[in-house]
Amino acid sequence: MQSDHRPSGPAHILITGASSGIGTALALAYARPGALLSLAGRDEARLNEVAAAARSQGAETDAAVLDVRDRDAMAAWVVAADQRRLIDLVIANAGISGGTHGGPESAEQTRAVFAVNLDGVLNTVLPLVPRMTGRKAGQIALISSLAGHRGFPGAPAYCGSKAAVKVWGESLRGELAAQGVKVNVVMPGFVKTHMTDVNDFPMPFLMSAERAAEIIRRGLEKDRARIAFPWPMAAMAWFVAALSPAILDPLLRKLPKKN
Ligand SMILES: NC(=O)c1ccc[n+]([C@@H]2O[C@H](COP(=O)([O-])OP(=O)(O)OC[C@H]3O[C@@H](n4cnc5c(N)ncnc54)[C@H](OP(=O)(O)O)[C@@H]3O)[C@@H](O)[C@H]2O)c1
């Protein structure tokens, strides 16, 4: 009997924000012989280190220094990656957060957060949608956040951008299911990365990026519509979002603000 040398799981995975945190951990969680990883980030040195680590685990890599806000550059890179080898899984992960420093969030910061967290996701995913539906195959993972369940005064643009990604992803999942393309919304709680290293308030159930990546990888393998974790935080965020603003708003105003 002939042995099957195809790797189990997706063979070509494209990840944005692979140069740090959850993106790095995802790249290494998928790195194995037979896999091609197309990785993007802005910091060339860190991105190259991640690509080298993935190659040392047996994967092929293509590392691109790109800003997800650059629509044309993203489309060109994503389509070229798909032409090189059909993409099985795209993970739109790149994101930034912003705090209000105790005051109102500036117009500049608001636009910057939406540009990366929302336009950046669209720039990553949209060029692939017609290609994936055309071949009735592929999987699209959108990294939202538990902060997307409900707006918090400490991070309006971040919460708003993550809510948009969540709801867009839920809709897209229903729309593309009939065309053979899977869509998954990922909603992590607190994960230890550069993004959370600046937080000076308690972060319940803080977990490592490696653990988060493993939960995401397993959730995607099972094609879960929503991959929300850790479960106590996910349950709390869901419950809090269901409360009336009349009860919730006065409480939320007392929460610590992100700097
Ligand atoms: N950490 C958490 O607790 C947590 C919780 C829920 C959701 N998330 C989400 O998880 C995702 C990854 O965050 P993380 O915690 O891993 O943070 P991180 O360590 O700060 O990593 C963010 C990644 O996004 C990239 N990036 C940022 N702006 C970019 C741009 N304009 N163009 C291209 N790449 C850009 C960064 O690239 P460079 O480093 O090369 O600049 C980096 O690779 C984000 O979408 C975040 O909102 C995080």
Side-chain angles (χ1 to χ4, degrees):
M1 196 174 103
Q2 242 186 355
S3 66
D4 187 347
H5 290 293
R6 282 174 310 172
S8 61
H12 186 182
I13 304 109
L14 183 144
I15 305 171
T16 63
S19 48
S20 174
I22 296 172
T24 293
L26 281 167
L28 299 181
Y30 282 107
R32 60 175 194 285
L36 168 60
L37 298 178
S38 292
L39 307 174
R42 288 174 308 179
D43 186 297
E44 190 169 11
R46 276 193 277 112
L47 184 67
N48 286 339
E49 265 177 46
V50 176
R55 284 194 300 275
S56 75
Q57 291 181 204
E60 262 181 89
T61 60
D62 163 36
V65 176
L66 279 172
D67 191 318
V68 288
R69 293 171 299 180
D70 188 337
R71 179 175 165 175
D72 293 340
M74 283 301 294
W77 177 63
V78 164
V79 168
D82 198 47
Q83 284 166 341
R84 178 175 172 184
R85 196 196 290 179
L86 298 181
I87 293 170
D88 299 294
L89 170 63
V90 54
I91 307 181
N93 165 73
I96 56 172
S97 70
T100 58
H101 307 275
E105 193 166 34
S106 72
E108 279 313 306
Q109 180 168 298
T110 302
R111 288 181 186 282
V113 170
F114 273 97
V116 177
N117 293 5
L118 183 54
D119 290 343
V121 167
L122 301 181
N123 293 342
T124 306
V125 170
L126 288 179
L128 280 173
V129 170
R131 301 179 70 86
M132 286 183 166
T133 55
R135 58 183 184 256
K136 294 199 177 309
Q139 185 167 17
I140 297 168
L142 306 173
I143 308 294
S144 171
S145 165
L146 288 181
H149 264 313
R150 210 280 177 195
F152 291 92
Y158 186 75
C159 292
S161 67
K162 293 298 178 181
V165 168
K166 168 188 178 279
V167 176
W168 182 61
E170 288 165 348
S171 309
L172 201 64
R173 180 175 171 88
E175 189 177 75
L176 300 189
Q179 297 173 73
V181 178
K182 299 168 187 161
V183 181
N184 315 86
V185 173
V186 180
M187 303 179 78
F190 291 114
V191 181
K192 186 161 172 36
T193 65
H194 291 313
M195 188 176 280
T196 48
D197 282 345
V198 296
N199 292 348
D200 53 7
F201 49 80
M203 291 182 277
F205 308 105
L206 180 71
M207 68 167 65
S208 71
E210 291 72 26
R211 173 99 185 96
E214 196 44 38
I215 293 170
I216 296 168
R217 194 190 63 73
R218 275 197 261 120
L220 292 178
E221 197 173 59
K222 292 180 178 140
D223 187 28
R224 292 210 193 288
R226 181 185 298 170
I227 303 165
F229 61 92
W231 75 263
M233 276 295 281
M236 209 155 64
W238 179 86
F239 174 73
V240 161
L243 290 176
S244 154
I247 300 168
L248 195 59
D249 280 353
L251 299 173
L252 289 184
R253 284 182 200 138
K254 294 198 177 94
L255 282 182
K257 309 278 186 292
K258 187 177 173 85
N259 282 318

